[in-house]
Amino acid sequence: MSTLTEPAMHTLQIGTNGEHTPSPRNSPRLHNESCSIAPLTPSQSPRNEIRPRVSAPFSVVVAIDFGTTSSGYAFSFASDPEAIHMMRKWEGGDPGVAHQKTPTSLLLTPEGAFHSFGYTARDYYHDLDPEEARDWLYFEKFKMKIHSTSDLTMKTELEAVNGKKVQALEIFAHALRFFKKQAVQELKDQCLALPEKDAIRWVITVPAIWKQPAKQFMREAAYLAGLVSSENPEQLLIALEPEAASIYCRKLRLNQLIDLSYKPQANGFTGDLPIDSSFRQAREQLRRSRHSRTFLVESGVGELWSEMHTGDRYIVADCGGGTVDLTVHQIEQPQGTLKELYKASGGPYGAVGVDLAFETLLCQIFGEDFIATFKAKRPAAWVDLTIAFEARKRTAAPHRANPLNISLPFSFIDFYRKHQGQNVETALKRSSVNLVKWSSQGMLRMSSEAMNELFQPTISQIINHIDDLIKKPEVKGVKFLFLVGGFAESAMLQHAVQSAFSSVCRVIIPQDVGLTILKGAVLFGLDPTIVRVRRSPLTYGVGVLNKFVEGKHPKEKLLVKEGKNWCTDIFEKFVSVDQSVALGEVVQRSYCPARLGQRKIIINIYCCATDDVVYITDPGVRKCGTISLELDEVQESNSPKKNRREIRASMQFGDTEIKVSAMDVQTSKVVRASIDFLSN
C-alpha cells in the first residue's frame, strides 16, 4: 500500500502493505524487478477500464472561441443538434472585413471597472482624447500571455497599453462574463422558457499545446465570471482548438471546402468546386444567405469523410492569431470516432508574428526609442496604426504587383515632427529600408516585396513545423491536411502550404475557415466522446521510495527508515510522454494516511518532456502540480494492521484536462479530491 511520508519528507513514499517486505512476484517493473516495492495498485499505465460517461442534463451548448485576435460564441440546442447558431452580428467593424467575430479587445475605466469589449471597446478607446486615453486601461491580444508565461499563477498580471498592470484572471473573467451576458440574452430572446441555471453546457476553446496550468487558468476565470460554479465542474468543457476543427471537418460536404491540391491559382483559391445534389445546394445557399446565422451540419459524417477508410490519417493545422497548433488524427470506423496519433505540437507562430515584424520595420525607419515613446504617450493612436496595418495585411497576396498603402495617423506624423525635429518623409529617405516609400497622401507605401518579407519568418516556421511532423514515422501516410483558424484565411499562408505539401497530401480549407473551431467546439459540447484516444503531452508521475540496491542507486539517495534501506526520489510514472490514453481510462493508486486522524493528503505531481526519467531530481523534471485528498473523520480500529485506512485515487489522462477522483475503500464514500497546477 502507498503510504504518505511524514511532514519532514518531501516525496511521496511508496511503501509496502504494512509488512515492509518486498513482494517480487507481484512487483511492478519500474526500473528493475529486484528494486521494486509493490503498492496496492501497481499499474504503470492507464488500465482498460472504460467507464461509462454520463452527460449531465442540459438544454443548450454554448461554445466560446476565445482567440488571440478575435473571439466569438455559437450555440446549439440539444433538441436540434444539426443546427449551429452563430452569435448576433457585432456592431462596428472594419470596412471590407466580415465581422462574424469581434476583436479580443477589452477596455477598463481609469478606476479599473469593466467598460466594454470587442469593437465597442476598440472604437471607444480610439475616440478618447489622447490625454484622457492615457488613464484608461486597454488590453488586446492578451491571450498570448497565458501561453508564454512559464510560471503562470492566479496572481499573474497583464499590462495594459498604457503600461498599468491588472491581474490576468480578472481580465479573462471580464471577457468571459461579457460573452455569458450576450449569449444568455440571445438564448432568452429565442427560448423564453429556458432556465438559466444548469441548462447550459459551456465550452471554452484553448490551444492544444497549452499546458495544464493554462487550461486550469481558463477554468478558474470561468468560475470567477460566473459561467458555472466550481461545485459543478462538468458543466464546463475545455475544448482543444485543432480537435474542435477536426470534429467539424468530419461533417463537411464537398461544396463546403476548398481543395488547394486541385487547380491552384495565384491567390491560393481553386476554380470550380464540385456541386452536390440540388436539395443540399439549396440548403447551403440558405445557410450562406446574408441574413442567416444558422449552419446546418450532417447528422452523420460528411461526403469527404465517407471517402475515408478505417486507419486513414490526417493533420489539422490550426493557424490562429497567436499560436499554430498541429494535431494528427486517425479515423475509427464504423463508429466514426477519432484517435490522436501523435501528441499535439506547435508554437507561437500565429498571425501576430507578422504584426511584430511590422513593428520591427517601423523601429528600423523611425527608431526604437521613438516607437516606444509614441506607444506610451499616444496609446490610442498606436492602436489606430495597428488597425490600419491589419486591414492591409488581410489583402496581401503572394503574386500581388501593386504596392499596399498604410495610413499613418496624423498624431504619429505630428508627434514625430515635434519630437525628432524632422518629418516622416525625411526619416524614410534616411533609413536603410528601400522597399517602403512615402506617399503624399500621408501613407506608407509598401512594395509587395516588403509585405512578403513581413510574412516570411512566421510562414517559414509554420511550414517547417508541418514538414517535421509529416516526416515522423508515426505520422507516415497522411491523406489530408486541413488548414483552419483565422490566419488560414491569408492567401500568403495558403499559397505557401499549397506549394510545400500539395504533392504529399490533399490540402483542404473549409469555407468560413475562421469559424471552423467555433462550430467544432459546439459539436464537441454536444458529444465530448468523439475523440476516443489522445496522446499524453508529457510524462507524469510521483516521487516514491524503492528498496535501495547497492551499485545501482547513488549513495546520496539512500534513506534508512525503520532499519530498512530505501532509495528516495524514484520517479514512478502515471503516464509516459506520447502514450496513447483512451477516454475514460484511469490510473489508480491507493494511499494510507501516515497518521491516525489525518484529515488531508497532499501528493506532489512531477512532469517531464522525456520518457527516460529515473529520479524526480533529474534534469528537465519539475514539480507541476498537487493532488489534494480531503478526508472525513472516521473511527479508527484498534487493529491498524488489518484495518489501515485506504484511499483509492483515480486519475484520468485521456480527457482534455487531467482529472482526479477518490474513494475511501473501507466506507465506499467519495473523498473530495482536487488537482492543482497553478499554485507551484
Side-chain angles (χ1 to χ4, degrees), residues 398-541:
H399 300 293
R400 184 188 177 108
N402 51 321
L404 288 159
N405 293 326
I406 298 167
S407 298
L408 280 182
F410 171 76
S411 59
F412 183 97
I413 298 168
D414 184 56
F415 199 79
Y416 188 80
R417 186 174 63 247
K418 286 178 179 175
H419 281 75
Q420 305 298 109
Q422 61 184 25
N423 57 34
V424 293
E425 186 177 2
T426 306
L428 268 166
K429 287 177 179 176
R430 289 182 178 178
S431 77
S432 57
V433 180
N434 299 318
L435 298 175
V436 182
K437 305 295 180 190
W438 177 248
S439 159
S440 56
Q441 286 88 17
M443 297 182 178
L444 290 178
R445 197 170 178 80
M446 292 188 70
S447 67
S448 55
E449 294 91 342
M451 186 60 88
N452 283 346
E453 283 185 12
L454 296 184
F455 275 84
Q456 276 322 301
T458 299
I459 286 179
S460 293
Q461 286 180 306
I462 295 171
I463 298 298
N464 291 340
H465 203 93
I466 296 174
D467 190 50
D468 288 345
L469 183 61
I470 283 180
K471 287 176 179 173
K472 292 187 182 298
E474 303 94 325
V475 185
K476 192 176 178 183
V478 164
K479 196 168 183 177
F480 294 96
L481 169 59
F482 290 97
L483 199 59
V484 302
F487 197 17
E489 295 172 350
S490 165
M492 300 283 278
L493 179 59
Q494 289 178 11
H495 182 266
V497 173
Q498 174 199 24
S499 301
F501 303 112
S502 60
S503 62
V504 180
C505 57
R506 287 174 66 182
V507 180
I508 305 288
I509 300 182
Q511 287 181 355
D512 295 315
V513 62
L515 299 177
T516 303
I517 291 159
L518 185 50
K519 290 182 277 189
V522 173
L523 295 174
F524 176 72
L526 290 165
D527 180 10
T529 66
I530 197 68
V531 180
R532 196 187 64 80
V533 180
R534 292 183 175 87
R535 295 274 180 159
S536 176
L538 294 167
T539 297
Y540 290 99

Side-chain angles (χ1 to χ4, degrees), residues 268-435:
F269 285 91
T270 63
D272 295 333
L273 295 168
I275 298 296
D276 198 11
S277 68
S278 57
F279 171 70
R280 287 187 173 177
Q281 190 180 358
R283 284 182 74 185
E284 182 63 13
Q285 286 172 347
L286 171 67
R287 186 198 64 71
R288 294 190 62 79
S289 155
R290 267 169 24 98
H291 303 292
S292 174
R293 295 181 296 110
T294 298
F295 292 82
L296 301 173
V297 296
E298 296 285 0
S299 56
V301 295
E303 294 156 314
L304 185 66
W305 238 249
S306 63
E307 294 179 25
M308 302 179 80
H309 307 288
T310 299
D312 278 354
R313 48 191 63 185
Y314 61 93
I315 293 175
V316 175
D318 170 23
C319 305
T323 56
V324 167
D325 239 357
L326 305 178
T327 194
V328 188
H329 280 162
Q330 188 174 49
I331 308 291
E332 295 183 317
Q333 300 288 22
Q335 64 271 42
T337 51
L338 304 175
K339 176 182 180 180
E340 189 176 27
L341 284 184
Y342 190 76
K343 63 175 181 165
S345 61
Y349 321 134
V352 293
V354 184
D355 304 338
L356 293 172
F358 176 63
E359 185 176 333
T360 301
L361 179 71
L362 292 177
C363 290
Q364 281 181 266
I365 298 170
F366 302 107
E368 231 174 291
D369 290 345
F370 170 75
I371 294 298
T373 304
F374 180 72
K375 285 169 73 174
K377 300 287 188 185
R378 295 287 183 269
W382 173 254
V383 171
D384 280 356
L385 180 50
T386 60
I387 292 168
F389 174 70
E390 177 68 26
R392 307 315 294 157
K393 182 176 79 173
R394 288 174 178 271
T395 64
H399 300 293
R400 184 188 177 108
N402 51 321
L404 288 159
N405 293 326
I406 298 167
S407 298
L408 280 182
F410 171 76
S411 59
F412 183 97
I413 298 168
D414 184 56
F415 199 79
Y416 188 80
R417 186 174 63 247
K418 286 178 179 175
H419 281 75
Q420 305 298 109
Q422 61 184 25
N423 57 34
V424 293
E425 186 177 2
T426 306
L428 268 166
K429 287 177 179 176
R430 289 182 178 178
S431 77
S432 57
V433 180
N434 299 318
L435 298 175

Side-chain angles (χ1 to χ4, degrees), residues 154 197-198 219-236 672-674:
M154 304 276 273
K197 184 171 173 57
D198 301 331
R219 180 170 281 281
E220 296 292 346
Y223 292 155
L224 185 60
L227 258 68
V228 301
S229 162
S230 59
E231 299 300 313
N232 297 305
E234 68 284 346
Q235 206 181 337
L236 169 67
R672 187 178 174 87
S674 60

Side-chain angles (χ1 to χ4, degrees), residues 74-95:
F75 58 92
S76 179
F77 292 97
S79 58
D80 186 17
E82 292 174 38
I84 299 174
H85 308 277
M86 306 307 293
M87 57 262 158
R88 286 173 176 155
K89 187 178 178 182
W90 300 102
E91 296 179 4
D94 304 318

Side-chain angles (χ1 to χ4, degrees), residues 517-579:
I517 291 159
L518 185 50
K519 290 182 277 189
V522 173
L523 295 174
F524 176 72
L526 290 165
D527 180 10
T529 66
I530 197 68
V531 180
R532 196 187 64 80
V533 180
R534 292 183 175 87
R535 295 274 180 159
S536 176
L538 294 167
T539 297
Y540 290 99
V542 291
V544 304
L545 296 180
N546 273 354
K547 184 180 176 183
F548 189 86
V549 178
E550 288 286 347
K552 175 180 175 64
H553 295 135
K555 286 276 195 290
E556 61 270 19
K557 299 292 183 187
L558 174 63
L559 171 74
V560 180
K561 183 177 171 67
E562 297 179 2
K564 302 286 186 182
N565 289 352
W566 299 93
C567 179
T568 65
D569 298 339
I570 296 282
F571 190 114
E572 188 198 34
K573 295 172 191 169
F574 288 158
V575 65
S576 296
V577 63
D578 206 33
Q579 179 179 329

Side-chain angles (χ1 to χ4, degrees), residues 655-676:
D655 221 322
T656 58
E657 300 171 273
I658 296 175
K659 296 175 180 175
V660 63
S661 58
M663 183 185 75
D664 188 322
V665 175
Q666 188 178 337
T667 63
S668 297
K669 284 186 177 178
V670 171
V671 172
R672 187 178 174 87
S674 60
I675 191 162
D676 183 14

